[in-house]
């Protein structure tokens, strides 16, 4: 239950009829059983109302806070009308603080508080009481609720929610202007006595401010308080309870009050005249200097706008207000010239941008000053008479012709001679040159408009006394056209005429181009160089012409190509012309005039073959030729294969033992002697692979006569194989080496040996080493066998 609810219950209780008592109030609770009471009354519904007899009663208790005694503080007594005084009843207490803060005597019903109580912590306590029979522990009274209310004493001083307040008020405010309200609170009971009644007073801050005693509103107490004189004030406010009477408790707080600015001060220039200097070479927009008017106000009240209101330099200078510094920046508006004017005078005004009408009487809120600007002389670069130059010249002028002249001067009072030059980065081909003394530009190479129509030059002017100080000027040279190019065919024309063409038939439309660009536009004329019986040219007078036939029928078998010279002329002065030759082919065409074939060889082919068929036939013929050539090459390669396939060289062996051909008689085919001596007798040759039955004494055979035909044959074959790049290195014909008549070394073979056995002796073979042992055994062994037999 809240304090408000307790107060409401207390007020209701005070308004109800009850007996007055100075210490306690008695209250009865209803009995558990309804009992009749003397009279009978009727309710609104017509039923009888019965008064019930109350069974027991106790006190409505009040307790003083902050009790300082040593004993328990007596609160009150509970008593039931069922109590006979014999100790048969027992009183029980429950609720807020029961058993700890509040205790009860079970026999007598007396209630005591065990400690001091602070009303600011809890204003009342709600408890419940009950009386029971000690023997049966049954209640003789129903449990009922009662309240212990704490009486207040002035034990709390007023307190402010903040220790320091911050407030502000505009300067120059009228007396009584509200600044801020401070409010203190008192924890004591405002409904009981004056413990919580607070009165405010000012302890510090007079005579500038005052405070209302009842409300705590702080107001200004002096007129025209100026922020520029004093800005900060500290005010101490006291709050005292008991209505401010003696003995009351008090608390204080501090209020820091700031006077805010109002625009009550006009701007003022610290000097009546300001002197500035600037070189004459300063470009437009250069800041010369600044002026500043001081204003005692702050923020937007101190904002100033500067302007030039008078003087002889209003068109030469500007002034700009710098917002962050509140300065007036004077800048150059037009180029300055020391030689023209050396001193300017300006009248500058500064005015507040935010003016408060309440303080017009303190104005005017503006001020003026005089600014004198002195122009200083500098060594200026040369100045050209123009900002740029444009010269026009025809492309056929002679070398060295002057196309124009640039002019410059020294603007200083002490005039210095000027030297001119060309920036070669703008004339890499060195087509132009300039006279260094007078600035005349002339040509040094031929001009050609068709190569470059414009030349953009840069001319440099420098003082002779100060070459580093230069000025540039652009010079634009436009090359004017001269009719120096003859017109030509616009494209290459591939012209043909059908064999079945008729007279007057159009076979080609031609046009021309010209590199020249006359003012009136291009105009071309077309004609034939000579009268042509086959073709003619018809000018369309729109820079095109038509090529027409002059007869019926053409034969490509007779003439396959015609050359037609066409003369093309322009109409400018001097007239230029050229001759272009059209190559006209005679072609076979269909009935619609579409070209089918233009080559003369096509006449020999069967009619009706298309171009694709002709190409296919040609490819077949080429493939067949390639096959025949490859076949012939392979056949020739086979003829040049070696006769002997042995890996060993034929020159190192007399007989190839791995020959399994026609037998031993095949070795006769390799007898070179037959080639050398065709008259040799075939039957006198002996076999070389068996031991001869009759051994002849070795004898030297007579050398065969030299045969010229054989030697020529061998030399011819050697020459052929030496020059043949396809001949392999193992060709058998390379073994036909001619060694003359006979070798002086005797042969080991039995061929052509003597027929007598006694003439042969092979013992010397054993002396030749291990390689000839087998041969010695063959021939030596045969001898022994015969002797033995």
């Amino acid at each position: 239950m809240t304090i408000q609810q307790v107060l409401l219950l207390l007020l209701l209780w005070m308004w109800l009829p009850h007996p007055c008592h100075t210490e306690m109030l008695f209250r009865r609770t209803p009995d558990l059983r309804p009992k009749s009471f003397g009279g009978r009354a009727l309710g609104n519904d017509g039923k009888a109302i019965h008064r019930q007899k109350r069974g027991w009663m106790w006190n409505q208790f009040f307790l003083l806070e902050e009790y300082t005694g040593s004993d328990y503080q007596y609160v009150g007594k509970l008593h039931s009308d069922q109590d006979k005084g014999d100790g048969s009843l027992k009183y029980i207490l429950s609720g807020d603080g029961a058993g700890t803060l509040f205790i009860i005597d079970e026999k007598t019903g007396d209630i005591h508080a065990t400690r001091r109580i602070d009303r600011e912590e809890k204003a009342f306590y709600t408890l419940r009481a009950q009386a029971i029979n000690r023997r049966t522990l049954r209640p003789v009274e129903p449990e009922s609720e009662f309240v212990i209310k704490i009486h207040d004493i002035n034990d709390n001083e007023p307190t402010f929610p903040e220790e320091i307040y911050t407030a502000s008020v505009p300067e120059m405010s009228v007396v009584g202007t509200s600044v801020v309200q401070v409010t203190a609170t008192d924890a004591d009971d405002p409904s009981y006595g004056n413990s919580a009644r607070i009165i405010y007073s000012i302890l510090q801050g007079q005579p500038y401010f005052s405070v209302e005693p009842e409300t705590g509103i702080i107001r200004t107490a002096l007129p025209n308080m100026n922020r520029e004189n004093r800005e900060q004030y500290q005010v101490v406010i006291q709050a005292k309870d008991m209505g401010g009477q003696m003995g009351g408790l008090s608390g204080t707080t501090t209020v820091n009050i700031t006077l805010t600015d109002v625009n009550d001060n006009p701007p003022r220039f610290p000097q009546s005249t300001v002197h500035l200097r600037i070189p004459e070479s300063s470009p437009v927009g250069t800041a010369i200097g600044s002026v500043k008017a001081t204003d005692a106000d702050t923020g937007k009240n101190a904002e100033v706008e500067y302007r030039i209101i008078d003087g002889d330099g209003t068109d030469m200078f500007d002034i700009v207000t710098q917002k962050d510094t509140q300065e007036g920046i004077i800048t150059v508006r037009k180029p300055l010239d020391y030689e023209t004017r050396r001193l300017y005078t300006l009248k500058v005004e500064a005015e507040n941008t935010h003016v408060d009408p309440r303080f017009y009487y303190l104005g005017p809120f503006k001020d003026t000053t005089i600014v004198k600007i002195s122009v200083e002389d500098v060594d200026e670069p040369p100045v050209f008479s123009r900002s740029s130059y444009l010269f026009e010249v025809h492309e056929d002028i002679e070398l060295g012709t002057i196309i124009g002249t640039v002019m410059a001067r020294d603007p200083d009072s002490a005039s210095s001679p000027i030297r001119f030059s060309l920036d070669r980065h703008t004339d890499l081909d060195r087509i132009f040159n300039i006279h260094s003394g007078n600035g005349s530009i002339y040509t040094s190479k031929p001009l050609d408009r068709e190569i470059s129509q414009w030349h953009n030059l840069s001319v440099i002017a420098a003082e002779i006394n100060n070459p580093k100080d230069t000025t540039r000027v652009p010079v634009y040279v436009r090359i004017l056209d001269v009719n120096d190019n003859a017109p030509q065919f616009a494209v290459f024309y591939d012209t043909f005429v059908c064999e079945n063409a008729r007279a007057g038939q159009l076979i080609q439309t031609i046009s021309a181009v010209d590199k020249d660009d006359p003012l009136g536009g291009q105009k071309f004329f077309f004609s034939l160089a000579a009268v042509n019986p086959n073709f003619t040219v018809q000018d369309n007078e729109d820079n095109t012409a038509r090529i027409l036939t002059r007869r019926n029928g053409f034969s490509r078998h007779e003439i396959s190509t015609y050359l037609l010279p066409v003369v093309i002329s322009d109409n400018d002065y001097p007239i230029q012309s050229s001759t272009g030759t059209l190559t006209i082919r005679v072609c076979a065409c269909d009935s619609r005039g579409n070209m089918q074939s233009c080559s003369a060889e096509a006449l020999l082919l069967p009619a009706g073959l298309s171009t694709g068929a002709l190409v296919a036939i040609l490819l077949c013929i080429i493939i067949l030729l390639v096959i025949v050539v490859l076949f012939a090459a392979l056949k020739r390669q086979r003829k040049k294969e070696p006769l002997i396939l042995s890996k060993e060289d034929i020159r190192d062996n007399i007989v190839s033992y791995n020959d399994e051909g026609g037998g031993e008689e095949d070795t006769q085919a390799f007898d070179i002697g037959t080639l050398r001596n065709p008259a040799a007798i075939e039957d006198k040759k002996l076999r070389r692979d068996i031991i001869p039955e009759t051994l002849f004494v070795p004898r030297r055979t007579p050398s065969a006569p030299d045969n010229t035909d054989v030697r020529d044959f061998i030399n011819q074959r050697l020459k052929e194989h030496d020059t043949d790049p396809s001949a392999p290195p193992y060709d058998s014909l390379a073994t036909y080496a001619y060694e003359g008549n006979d070798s002086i070394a005797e042969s080991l073979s039995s061929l052509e040996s003597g027929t007598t056995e006694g003439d042969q002796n092979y013992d010397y073979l054993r002396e030749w080493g291990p390689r000839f042992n087998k041969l010695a055994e063959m021939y030596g062994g045969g001898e022994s066998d015969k002797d033995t037999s």
Side-chain angles (χ1 to χ4, degrees):
M1 183 177 293
T2 63
I3 297 176
Q4 290 80 358
Q5 292 174 334
V6 173
L7 295 176
L8 180 60
L9 290 174
L10 182 60
L11 290 175
L12 291 176
W13 173 81
M14 293 176 65
W15 283 100
L16 290 175
H18 53 80
C20 297
H21 198 277
T22 57
E23 293 185 358
M24 60 184 69
L25 298 175
F26 293 92
R27 177 185 176 189
R28 295 182 179 272
T29 58
D31 195 358
L32 294 176
R33 296 171 296 177
K35 296 180 181 180
S36 61
F37 181 77
R40 178 183 299 266
L42 295 178
N44 296 330
D45 54 357
K47 294 182 180 181
I49 299 177
H50 299 277
R51 180 181 297 276
Q52 295 179 344
K53 183 180 179 182
R54 300 184 182 276
W56 64 300
M57 61 182 180
W58 64 86
N59 297 328
Q60 178 75 31
F61 304 110
F62 292 90
L63 186 64
L64 191 64
E65 71 169 335
E66 303 295 343
Y67 173 69
T68 59
S70 58
D71 298 332
Y72 288 166
Q73 186 178 4
Y74 180 75
V75 177
K77 183 180 182 65
L78 296 178
H79 182 73
S80 174
D81 55 5
Q82 300 293 328
D83 189 359
K84 305 300 183 183
D86 56 0
S88 61
L89 295 184
K90 179 181 178 181
Y91 294 97
I92 300 174
L93 188 65
S94 63
D96 292 343
T100 57
L101 179 58
F102 301 104
I103 58 176
I104 188 171
D105 190 331
E106 296 179 352
K107 295 180 180 181
T108 63
D110 292 328
I111 302 173
H112 291 81
T114 60
R115 61 178 175 83
R116 57 190 293 183
I117 298 175
D118 189 358
R119 190 201 65 84
E120 285 69 41
E121 292 181 2
K122 194 172 180 66
F124 60 91
Y125 296 85
T126 303
L127 295 94
R128 293 179 298 278
Q130 189 176 26
I132 63 175
N133 190 292
R134 288 182 180 273
R135 291 191 301 272
T136 63
L137 300 181
R138 297 182 62 181
V140 297
E141 295 284 352
E143 186 179 59
S144 184
E145 188 178 87
F146 67 96
V147 175
I148 299 177
K149 185 177 180 182
I150 311 301
H151 272 305
D152 182 50
I153 64 172
N154 189 17
D155 59 343
N156 292 280
E157 70 276 3
T159 59
F160 290 93
E162 298 182 14
E163 294 183 2
I164 298 177
Y165 287 84
T166 301
S168 63
V169 63
E171 63 173 334
M172 308 297 290
S173 297
V174 297
V175 175
T177 302
S178 175
V179 179
V180 67
Q181 182 179 13
V182 294
T183 303
T185 59
D186 196 323
D188 294 326
D189 188 0
S191 63
Y192 182 77
N194 293 327
S195 298
R197 183 186 174 192
I198 300 174
I199 297 297
Y200 301 94
S201 61
I202 184 168
L203 301 182
Q204 178 182 326
Q206 295 174 334
Y208 307 102
F209 300 94
S210 63
V211 62
E212 293 182 357
E214 300 292 337
T215 62
I217 298 176
I218 301 174
R219 300 181 181 276
T220 59
L222 282 181
N224 299 328
M225 287 192 294
N226 196 341
R227 184 197 65 84
E228 287 72 32
N229 296 331
R230 183 177 177 181
E231 185 176 4
Q232 299 289 338
Y233 294 87
Q234 189 175 72
V235 178
V236 178
I237 301 297
Q238 181 189 64
K240 190 174 183 180
D241 59 10
M242 298 296 293
Q245 297 177 6
M246 185 176 297
L249 303 177
S250 64
T252 60
T253 187
T254 300
V255 182
N256 293 326
I257 301 175
T258 303
L259 296 183
T260 58
D261 185 58
V262 296
N263 192 7
D264 58 340
N265 294 281
R268 292 290 181 263
F269 283 105
Q271 297 176 347
S272 60
T273 304
V274 178
H275 294 274
L276 300 176
R277 295 180 177 272
I278 184 171
E280 63 173 333
S281 60
S282 299
V284 174
T286 301
I288 304 173
S290 64
V291 294
K292 184 175 182 180
T294 59
D295 193 325
D297 298 322
T298 60
K300 68 176 184 178
N301 296 319
E303 292 182 1
V304 178
E305 187 72 25
Y306 297 91
R307 66 180 64 90
I308 299 174
I309 61 175
D310 197 3
D312 54 10
T314 55
D315 60 336
M316 299 296 296
F317 303 95
D318 278 331
I319 188 167
V320 180
T321 303
Q322 194 76 20
K323 295 298 183 181
D324 53 347
T325 61
Q326 290 299 309
E327 292 180 332
I329 308 299
I330 300 176
T331 59
V332 178
R333 185 176 181 180
K334 292 182 179 180
L336 302 175
D337 187 6
Y338 173 82
E339 288 70 27
T340 302
R341 186 165 191 151
R342 304 181 182 183
L343 181 63
Y344 294 91
T345 301
L346 305 175
K347 187 177 183 180
V348 178
E349 179 185 72
E351 182 180 11
N352 279 138
T353 56
H354 303 280
V355 180
D356 193 336
R358 296 177 301 170
F359 305 104
Y360 278 156
Y361 67 93
L362 299 176
F365 287 86
K366 63 179 66 176
D367 195 15
T368 59
T369 188
I370 301 299
V371 179
K372 294 185 177 181
I373 302 174
S374 299
V375 179
E376 298 179 343
D377 186 28
V378 296
D379 190 5
E380 299 177 82
V383 177
F384 283 95
S385 59
R386 302 179 188 174
S387 59
S388 64
Y389 293 86
L390 173 63
F391 300 135
E392 293 182 347
V393 59
H394 287 88
E395 60 180 325
D396 61 345
I397 62 172
E398 298 180 358
L399 296 182
T401 301
I402 296 176
I403 64 172
T405 301
V406 297
M407 299 179 62
R409 64 177 181 85
D410 184 5
D412 297 323
S413 56
S415 181
S416 175
I418 305 298
R419 183 184 299 275
F420 298 94
S421 62
L422 275 177
D423 185 354
R424 288 303 174 185
H425 291 90
T426 61
D427 185 27
L428 296 176
D429 296 331
R430 295 183 176 270
I431 299 176
F432 302 94
N433 213 333
I434 189 170
H435 193 283
S436 61
N438 57 22
S440 298
I441 301 175
Y442 57 91
T443 59
S444 58
K445 288 184 179 180
L447 303 177
D448 191 349
R449 189 200 66 87
E450 286 69 39
I451 296 177
S452 180
Q453 186 176 357
W454 286 91
H455 295 273
N456 300 325
L457 308 178
S458 180
V459 176
I460 303 172
E463 297 180 8
I464 295 179
N465 298 333
N466 187 10
K468 295 182 179 180
D469 204 356
T470 61
T471 304
R472 293 172 178 264
V473 68
V475 177
Y476 306 104
V477 181
R478 180 182 180 183
I479 309 302
L480 301 179
D481 184 43
V482 173
N483 192 25
D484 57 348
N485 292 278
Q488 298 177 351
F489 282 132
V491 295
F492 173 77
Y493 295 101
D494 185 10
T495 308
F496 70 92
V497 61
C498 296
E499 288 183 307
N500 57 357
R502 303 184 65 83
Q505 182 175 339
L506 173 66
I507 63 173
Q508 184 70 60
T509 300
I510 60 176
S511 62
V513 293
D514 195 337
K515 295 181 180 179
D516 296 322
D517 188 16
L519 296 177
Q522 299 283 6
K523 179 64 177 177
F524 301 124
F525 302 96
F526 301 88
S527 62
L528 293 180
V531 177
N532 191 294
N534 302 310
F535 305 98
T536 184
V537 174
Q538 182 177 358
D539 197 330
N540 296 328
E541 297 184 357
D542 60 353
N543 292 340
T544 64
R546 297 186 297 169
I547 307 298
L548 306 175
T549 58
R550 296 189 64 181
R551 64 184 178 88
N552 297 328
F554 293 86
S555 176
R556 55 179 169 159
H557 184 65
E558 296 177 359
I559 300 177
S560 61
T561 303
Y562 292 91
L563 299 179
L564 182 64
V566 179
V567 178
I568 310 172
S569 304
D570 56 23
N571 68 335
D572 204 0
Y573 179 83
I575 295 176
Q576 301 287 342
S577 64
S578 66
T579 300
T581 301
L582 286 176
T583 300
I584 305 175
R585 296 181 297 158
V586 181
C587 301
C589 304
D590 58 13
S591 59
R592 296 181 179 180
N594 298 322
M595 180 183 65
Q596 292 183 335
S597 175
C598 294
S599 59
E601 291 77 3
L603 296 173
L604 303 176
L605 297 176
L609 291 179
S610 63
T611 304
L614 295 176
V615 173
I617 293 173
L618 290 176
L619 289 176
C620 293
I621 294 174
I622 293 173
I623 292 172
L624 290 176
L625 290 176
V626 172
I627 292 173
V628 172
V629 171
L630 292 176
F631 181 77
L634 291 175
K635 187 174 182 181
R636 182 179 180 185
Q637 182 68 25
R638 290 177 181 177
K639 289 182 179 181
K640 294 181 180 180
E641 291 180 355
L643 298 177
I644 299 176
L645 299 177
S646 173
K647 295 180 181 179
E648 299 179 0
D649 195 347
I650 189 62
R651 292 173 293 183
D652 297 335
N653 298 277
I654 298 176
V655 178
S656 178
Y657 289 99
N658 59 356
D659 187 8
E660 299 178 359
E664 295 179 355
E665 294 181 356
D666 288 344
T667 58
Q668 297 178 1
F670 302 97
D671 190 358
I672 195 65
T674 304
L675 295 175
R676 295 176 179 174
N677 186 11
I681 301 175
E682 184 71 25
D683 57 0
K684 289 185 179 181
K685 292 185 177 180
L686 301 178
R687 297 187 54 176
R688 294 178 289 178
D689 56 346
I690 60 174
I691 301 175
E693 295 180 356
T694 305
L695 298 176
F696 297 96
V697 178
R699 61 184 178 86
R700 186 180 183 85
T701 58
S703 60
D706 188 12
N707 193 325
T708 305
D709 295 335
V710 174
R711 184 170 63 252
D712 294 341
F713 171 75
I714 293 174
N715 290 333
Q716 182 179 359
R717 296 306 299 272
L718 287 174
K719 184 176 180 181
E720 290 177 358
H721 284 277
D722 289 339
T723 58
D724 188 3
S726 63
Y730 51 81
D731 200 311
S732 61
L733 295 178
T735 63
Y736 291 163
Y738 183 67
E739 298 181 358
N741 291 329
D742 286 335
S743 175
I744 59 175
E746 297 181 356
S747 175
L748 298 177
S749 176
S750 61
L751 298 177
E752 298 183 1
S753 300
T755 58
T756 60
E757 220 179 62
D759 295 336
Q760 296 287 346
N761 184 7
Y762 299 99
D763 293 336
Y764 61 88
L765 294 176
R766 300 183 183 275
E767 299 176 357
W768 287 6
R771 296 182 179 181
F772 297 94
N773 289 339
K774 186 66 175 177
L775 189 60
E777 291 177 359
M778 291 174 59
Y779 287 96
E783 236 176 327
S784 301
D785 293 341
K786 276 191 180 247
D787 293 340
T788 304
S789 61

